[in-house]
Amino acid sequence: MPAQYCPPQPCPPQVFPALYDPPLVSPGQQYVKTNLFNKVVTHLHPSHTTTVNKLNINHQHYFPHTESCVNECCETHTMCGFPVNPCCPTPFGF
């Protein structure tokens, strides 16, 4: 009598906890804030008055900054059987 063949039985997969690497930290960005105060000095001379008119050009630089947020969603659909169609008879007549 020959030996019977037994196919391998699948086992459910083992799920292990997530592994986390240490955080990667980039070098910090340094900002320098400068405050500029204007002072007017008037010079008066006894024999002559000099009025000095200076054009002060203020170059204003703007750096708009925006932020955004992304929300991601993953979905799975698991079929745990077959849908029933009441209009079609079952193959066994039940």
Side-chain angles (χ1 to χ4, degrees), residues 10-29:
C11 295
Q14 292 181 343
V15 179
F16 293 93
L19 301 176
Y20 294 92
D21 285 341
L24 302 175
V25 180
S26 300
Q29 178 69 41

Side-chain angles (χ1 to χ4, degrees), residues 7-48:
Q9 297 294 317
C11 295
Q14 292 181 343
V15 179
F16 293 93
L19 301 176
Y20 294 92
D21 285 341
L24 302 175
V25 180
S26 300
Q29 178 69 41
Q30 180 177 349
Y31 297 96
V32 175
K33 180 180 178 183
T34 302
N35 296 319
L36 175 64
F37 300 95
N38 291 317
K39 181 179 181 180
V40 176
V41 177
T42 303
H43 296 270
L44 299 176
H45 302 279
S47 62
H48 180 73

Side-chain angles (χ1 to χ4, degrees), residues 37-89:
F37 300 95
N38 291 317
K39 181 179 181 180
V40 176
V41 177
T42 303
H43 296 270
L44 299 176
H45 302 279
S47 62
H48 180 73
T49 300
T50 301
T51 301
V52 178
N53 295 316
K54 292 184 179 182
L55 174 62
N56 182 22
I57 299 175
N58 181 353
H59 297 272
Q60 295 183 350
H61 300 267
Y62 294 93
F63 301 91
H65 176 76
T66 61
E67 292 185 17
S68 62
C69 179
V70 176
N71 295 318
E72 294 182 351
C73 177
C74 297
E75 295 185 33
T76 58
H77 294 269
T78 304
M79 300 300 290
C80 299
F82 296 100
V84 175
N85 187 343
C87 297
C88 295

